[in-house]
Amino acid sequence: MDPILQIEKLKKKFGGVVAVDGVDFEVNSHQIKAIIGPNGAGKTTIFNLISRICPPTSGTIRFKQHKINELKPYVIAEKGISRTFQNVQVFENMSVLENVMVGRHCRTRSEIFAAIMNLKRTRAEEKRIHDYSLEMLSFVGLETKKNEAASNLTFQQQKLLEFARALATEPDLLLLDEPAAGLSVPEADEMAQFVYRIREIGITILLVEHNMGLVMEVSDEVIVLDSGQVIAEGTPREVQNNEAVIAVYLGERETENANHTKS
Amino acid sequence: MGRKNILSLLILAGVILALPLGLGNSYYLNVLVFVGIYSLITIGLSLLMGYTGQISLGHAAFFGLGAYTSGVLSTKFGVSPWLALLAGIFVTGGIAFLIAAPALKLKGHYLAMATLAFGYIVFIVFNQASSLTGGPSGFGQIPRFRLGNFLLRSDVHYYYLVWTLVIVVLLVSLNIIHSRVGRALRSIHEGELTANIMGVNTAKYKIQVFVLSAVYASLAGSLYAHFITFLNPTPFGFHFSIVLVAMVAVGGMASVWGAMIGAALLTILPEYLRAFQDYDILIYGSILLLIMMFLPQGLFAGILRLIKKER
């Protein structure tokens, strides 16, 4: 298995706070990898560094062997990385279908002059965008909502819409930021099924999640982060039995009280 | 572009053709020429503000740059008005391109301040570069357009010229709106960072739409110059930039049709309110206030909603 994503010595400081502190890990093609850790461990920051919402302080991010830290977000999408967001970020006043069609943007090319002339090939491309996007909508089961404004969808539907929009960019790597957050138990189970189905179409998945049930069920490998550092990595079973992980999540037995009084 | 828009365009073209027959008085026609000229600018502003969500408080400057380039070239250098109009488009588009890249990195109030400052600088140049512009008192005897040997001299001629161009600009704009590019513009309005992460080169499209709206304003400026045949800086100041934004807001930002309705209302209304003499500005302000209070989406969306309710 070759790594599709390689993170080396990644570091991010916000003023005096070190959010990500020398993180190394790899994601192999076609695997589902999860990053877990307590609040503030730096999970979402790693996602934001990969999709270049903010630049890393130091370290490198390689995607398919190419360094991508200097690229603009839209170029990273073109290279084949897409994502969803922890607090859903749909285009609220656009229709459900249009949301997905925006995802198709980076795989199509008609520019402003072609649009003005309304050329035959522009119309043909627009039709292809429409059809592909509709296909992605049926994949997540939202095709009947295609003409609704995205703001009219339920929270879970908006999350699914983000899936469809990300899939429309034809990613090789999909970053899922807390796909189950805010969902009920059956809804979260449904999400787990979607994660499997996305992997089946050949997409590698890196996810951040607090719902341990979901993480342990779907992931091939888990990385545990604490205070910006990787403290454990392995299969779900290995990680669950790792002492450092248990200490972070439950507190160390002897020093628990001491830590409490300090903080 | 959708059947509704094609139908609306055809209806508009019909109304435009028929109106001069019903309006004997050339004064009304003169007002309608101005409505057309201002519509050209507000259609571009609606693309920029309503669709892309970027404000500009400097569009009177682009209007002025078009007018002055056209006026100066044709009057002082003997360039034909049509070529002067084209030159205006290139000059204005070029200047818009140069300021767009740095200015559009700013957001909200900061972008408003930057465009306002740009407008003010251009206004100062119109006043100070007197060897070319005639300074505050301006210059006249700008030649009118010709079609072959035919000189466009009456208001009717200009009425048809201006409104033909409005239809062309509407067609161009509607094609953009209903394309991949139009969708990208709206996604920028909805969430610029998200759009970027989803693969939209947001900086490029913001610059494109800014330049396009400046080009529309320049076209309007050239038409103005060769229609009025006299230029001074007053119509191109900060006040007019604000009026333009008000036109777009009153008509309805997210619609090129609304932008036209706003241009029409804010051009025609003051003419009618003259009858109230000293109270005209008070009534004018109250009407705008009421529209924004009760139809915050603008007149166009408000009227559409009323029609739907009636059904």
Side-chain angles (χ1 to χ4, degrees):
Chain A
M1 281 252 194
D2 16 301
I4 189 167
L5 184 76
Q6 295 158 289
I7 307 254
E8 288 157 27
K9 301 197 180 69
L10 192 66
K11 194 166 192 173
K12 178 66 188 178
K13 280 189 198 170
F14 293 106
V17 181
V18 186
V20 177
D21 191 3
V23 164
D24 291 88
F25 69 88
E26 290 186 345
V27 182
N28 289 326
S29 285
H30 305 298
Q31 80 173 158
I32 299 178
K33 194 155 194 163
I35 306 178
I36 62 169
N39 284 325
K43 305 180 299 288
T44 296
T45 307
I46 290 181
F47 270 23
N48 290 349
L49 294 173
I50 298 173
S51 47
R52 198 50 163 79
I53 292 179
C54 47
T57 310
S58 62
T60 45
I61 304 169
R62 265 178 243 280
F63 179 62
K64 297 180 190 166
Q65 324 303 331
H66 296 289
K67 202 175 156 190
I68 59 164
N69 344 4
E70 318 271 294
L71 301 178
K72 299 235 163 69
Y74 75 91
V75 184
I76 289 174
E78 284 169 9
K79 296 274 177 206
I81 301 181
S82 195
R83 68 173 289 176
T84 63
F85 299 88
Q86 187 179 339
N87 319 307
V88 288
Q89 305 276 338
V90 294
F91 304 124
E92 292 195 344
N93 296 308
M94 294 171 79
S95 80
V96 168
L97 183 61
E98 283 171 327
N99 264 269
V100 186
M101 288 168 89
V102 172
R104 204 66 199 132
H105 186 93
C106 64
R107 297 287 168 245
T108 44
R109 39 171 20 130
S110 289
E111 288 300 345
I112 194 162
F113 288 107
I116 290 172
M117 305 309 287
N118 199 16
L119 303 172
K120 204 173 180 187
R121 67 175 161 81
T122 315
R123 272 172 287 159
E125 185 182 75
E126 187 69 7
K127 171 117 181 31
R128 284 200 305 276
I129 295 174
H130 175 272
D131 294 350
Y132 195 99
S133 305
L134 203 56
E135 211 178 296
M136 292 304 111
L137 269 187
S138 12
F139 180 81
V140 299
L142 285 178
E143 72 277 19
T144 54
K145 305 268 178 197
K146 63 174 184 173
N147 294 325
E148 293 263 350
S151 55
N152 289 344
L153 297 184
T154 66
F155 187 64
Q156 189 201 16
Q157 287 169 335
Q158 291 190 350
K159 291 202 149 201
L160 289 171
L161 176 57
E162 280 202 339
F163 274 30
R165 185 179 63 185
L167 290 175
T169 69
E170 278 184 78
D172 295 312
L173 173 65
L174 184 56
L175 312 177
L176 302 175
D177 197 351
E178 301 204 18
L183 298 185
S184 68
V185 175
E187 284 173 339
D189 284 344
E190 237 177 273
M191 276 296 167
Q193 295 313 310
F194 271 112
V195 174
Y196 279 129
R197 285 179 57 198
I198 291 170
R199 198 239 317 250
E200 271 167 36
I201 36 180
I203 296 171
T204 311
I205 293 169
L206 179 61
L207 68 111
V208 161
E209 185 52 70
H210 276 298
N211 182 330
M212 283 307 143
L214 183 118
V215 168
M216 296 306 164
E217 189 192 331
V218 303
S219 331
D220 301 316
E221 277 191 299
V222 179
I223 301 169
V224 188
L225 221 57
D226 184 37
S227 314
Q229 293 178 321
V230 176
I231 57 161
E233 186 171 359
T235 63
R237 185 174 295 269
E238 283 166 5
V239 165
Q240 274 171 311
N241 297 324
N242 183 304
E243 280 186 20
V245 177
I246 297 170
V248 163
Y249 272 89
L250 303 175
E252 280 168 74
R253 215 165 277 153
E254 286 94 305
T255 55
E256 192 183 8
N257 290 329
N259 276 344
H260 253 285
T261 45
K262 240 186 258 170
S263 60
Chain B
M1 153 164 63
R3 229 170 273 153
K4 253 188 222 159
N5 280 318
I6 294 172
L7 189 69
S8 312
L9 267 181
L10 285 176
I11 292 172
L12 179 68
V15 170
I16 289 166
L17 268 177
L19 259 183
L21 306 175
L23 293 173
N25 189 337
S26 127
Y27 166 73
Y28 292 117
L29 222 50
N30 181 287
V31 173
L32 284 176
V33 172
F34 281 107
V35 171
I37 288 175
Y38 299 155
S39 291
L40 290 171
I41 315 175
T42 55
I43 291 167
L45 266 183
S46 125
L47 287 178
L48 180 69
M49 294 172 56
Y51 284 90
T52 322
Q54 311 296 312
I55 194 169
S56 169
L57 294 182
H59 261 56
F62 295 125
F63 180 50
L65 282 168
Y68 270 95
T69 310
S70 226
V72 169
L73 282 180
S74 58
T75 313
K76 316 228 153 147
F77 299 94
V79 179
S80 106
W82 294 112
L83 274 182
L85 177 147
L86 269 185
I89 283 176
F90 280 105
V91 169
T92 311
I95 292 174
F97 180 76
L98 288 180
I99 70 155
L104 290 170
K105 285 193 176 148
L106 305 171
K107 292 189 188 358
H109 303 324
Y110 300 97
L111 177 61
M113 293 308 287
T115 49
L116 188 153
F118 164 75
Y120 203 68
I121 291 168
V122 172
F123 185 68
I124 292 172
V125 171
F126 290 155
N127 275 295
Q128 298 296 322
S130 4
S131 58
L132 277 176
T133 65
S137 47
F139 67 101
Q141 293 181 328
I142 299 170
R144 288 175 167 254
F145 286 112
R146 277 176 179 282
L147 282 174
N149 280 329
F150 183 75
L151 181 71
L152 302 183
R153 50 198 143 60
S154 71
D155 287 354
V156 187
H157 299 156
Y158 272 85
Y159 168 86
Y160 281 118
L161 172 67
V162 166
W163 281 96
T164 307
L165 288 170
V166 171
I167 299 259
V168 171
V169 162
L170 262 178
L171 199 64
V172 164
S173 307
L174 286 167
N175 276 345
I176 293 174
I177 290 165
H178 295 97
S179 76
R180 168 180 179 267
V181 177
R183 218 164 26 240
L185 297 179
R186 286 167 60 207
S187 74
I188 293 171
H189 192 178
E190 293 284 315
E192 192 173 338
L193 185 59
T194 309
N196 202 335
I197 293 167
M198 285 302 130
V200 177
N201 184 347
T202 50
K204 178 176 86 178
Y205 290 114
K206 285 201 296 183
I207 292 172
Q208 282 184 357
V209 73
F210 189 78
V211 171
L212 184 75
S213 70
V215 163
Y216 287 176
S218 171
L219 173 67
S222 293
L223 291 170
Y224 176 90
H226 297 292
F227 174 58
I228 302 289
T229 70
F230 170 82
L231 286 179
N232 74 345
T234 317
F236 310 111
F238 173 61
H239 176 252
F240 189 57
S241 283
I242 300 293
V243 171
L244 287 170
V245 171
M247 284 174 174
V248 177
V250 165
M253 289 234 190
S255 154
V256 286
W257 303 105
M260 285 181 58
I261 291 174
L265 184 79
L266 266 64
T267 311
I268 295 169
L269 197 59
E271 304 290 330
Y272 276 97
L273 293 180
R274 279 197 194 151
F276 297 94
Q277 289 172 357
D278 290 348
Y279 296 102
D280 62 345
I281 197 75
L282 189 71
I283 298 168
Y284 179 78
S286 310
I287 291 175
L288 295 195
L289 199 64
L290 287 174
I291 291 174
M292 292 325 288
M293 277 172 72
F294 293 105
L295 302 170
Q297 304 291 321
L299 267 184
F300 183 66
I303 293 168
L304 276 190
R305 213 175 309 138
L306 277 182
I307 293 172
K308 273 184 192 151
K309 252 187 210 164
E310 287 294 313
R311 282 188 199 160

